[in-house]
Amino acid sequence: MTSISGFMANRYAALSSNAGQRQSASQTAGNAAVSSQQAVSKETAAAAPAPGTLASAAMIARDKIDAGYAKLGIAGTSGTTADQWDAVGFPDLDRQMLFAVKSYAGGLFSEAEVSAAKKEFNNRISDIMDANPDDPAQGYRDVIDFYDAASDDEKATFDWVVDRSEVQKSYFVHGGREDVGMGMPVVEKLMQAWGQLSAAGGNSNDLPNMPAYHEAMMWWAQDNGGAHHVDLLT
């Protein structure tokens, strides 16, 4: 697969190290772990959340993952392979469910599940880029559409704002000419940060050190009551 270069790639690079590993737990041990996780999930879900909310998506995702565990007789761990996560059902989660897992919504998910959700998210972006092997500008344009199709919950995170700006920057770097700005001051401020980074000759890891990045973070925090990244495990 084509991998996304730059700031986003660094976020997800550590998640690719589980290829080729095999789940060593026995069927009995796996079923016991699944039962334990399901019990914890039911305790957490004291009241049914309103349909269409992030909380509702988290509950549905929790149920789907538990059903996948029960079917396979395993429980997800850091040693669970990419194929096993696929068999559990991560590729079948819709965008909001995937975001719910990725953002540790409601505290319903394990660290291994959060990591698997991030890997699945990155896989979907890579699939978009792979569909345009000879036209990276179009690939990034399609990834912009992928980001713009996110829910309001996802768009409210600073991680989404940073990644959206990185894709927009990459689109222009690869010759894109369409106006893909969103009229979002924070995104535009981050575009300034990318410009500052280019002028300074730095790499993507230096982006948070740019003055415009700090301004964008302050603007975002003010708009979101001083909140920080929803993703609590990164």
Side-chain angles (χ1 to χ4, degrees):
M1 281 189 177
T2 301
S3 59
I4 306 300
S5 61
F7 198 58
M8 285 192 300
N10 294 333
R11 292 170 181 253
Y12 298 110
L15 301 176
S16 62
S17 60
N18 67 345
Q21 295 177 333
R22 289 290 178 268
Q23 174 59 259
S24 60
S26 67
Q27 177 109 2
T28 301
N31 286 336
V34 169
S35 297
S36 175
Q37 282 189 306
Q38 288 174 329
V40 171
S41 299
K42 288 176 182 177
E43 275 184 28
T44 307
T53 62
L54 182 62
S56 175
M59 289 297 302
I60 296 171
R62 178 73 268 162
D63 287 344
K64 285 181 177 292
I65 293 169
D66 286 341
Y69 288 157
K71 180 180 178 180
L72 296 177
I74 68 169
T77 70
S78 60
T80 301
T81 68
D83 286 344
Q84 286 174 322
W85 285 122
D86 286 352
V88 167
F90 273 68
D92 299 324
L93 298 178
D94 69 23
R95 178 69 172 273
Q96 182 75 329
M97 292 177 203
L98 187 64
F99 172 66
V101 182
K102 179 174 170 281
S103 62
Y104 192 57
L108 295 179
F109 308 100
S110 69
E111 185 171 354
E113 290 164 350
V114 172
S115 294
K118 291 177 180 178
K119 184 64 165 61
E120 172 60 25
F121 186 87
N122 198 41
N123 286 344
R124 295 183 189 188
I125 295 175
S126 292
D127 287 344
I128 295 171
M129 294 299 296
D130 286 345
N132 298 276
D134 300 320
D135 190 353
Q138 184 59 51
Y140 282 113
R141 180 65 184 84
D142 292 344
V143 174
I144 287 172
D145 287 340
F146 174 80
Y147 271 94
D148 290 352
S151 67
D152 290 342
D153 293 303
E154 188 172 341
K155 288 179 179 179
T157 66
F158 192 65
D159 286 337
W160 181 89
V161 175
V162 173
D163 288 347
R164 173 58 168 76
S165 73
E166 201 265 351
V167 177
Q168 183 172 324
K169 181 268 301 182
S170 296
Y171 171 69
F172 290 133
V173 166
H174 286 85
R177 294 292 179 264
E178 185 180 345
D179 181 6
V180 292
M182 297 189 67
M184 292 180 63
V186 176
V187 172
E188 296 308 315
K189 181 57 67 173
L190 283 168
M191 290 298 292
Q192 291 181 27
W194 286 107
Q196 291 171 350
L197 182 67
S198 178
N203 61 49
S204 57
N205 292 326
D206 297 322
L207 182 69
N209 299 324
M210 298 299 105
Y213 184 97
H214 289 282
E215 289 184 66
M217 184 179 291
M218 287 189 294
W219 289 4
W220 179 86
Q222 290 168 359
D223 290 342
N224 291 275
H228 296 287
H229 294 194
V230 168
D231 189 346
L232 301 178
L233 297 182
T234 58

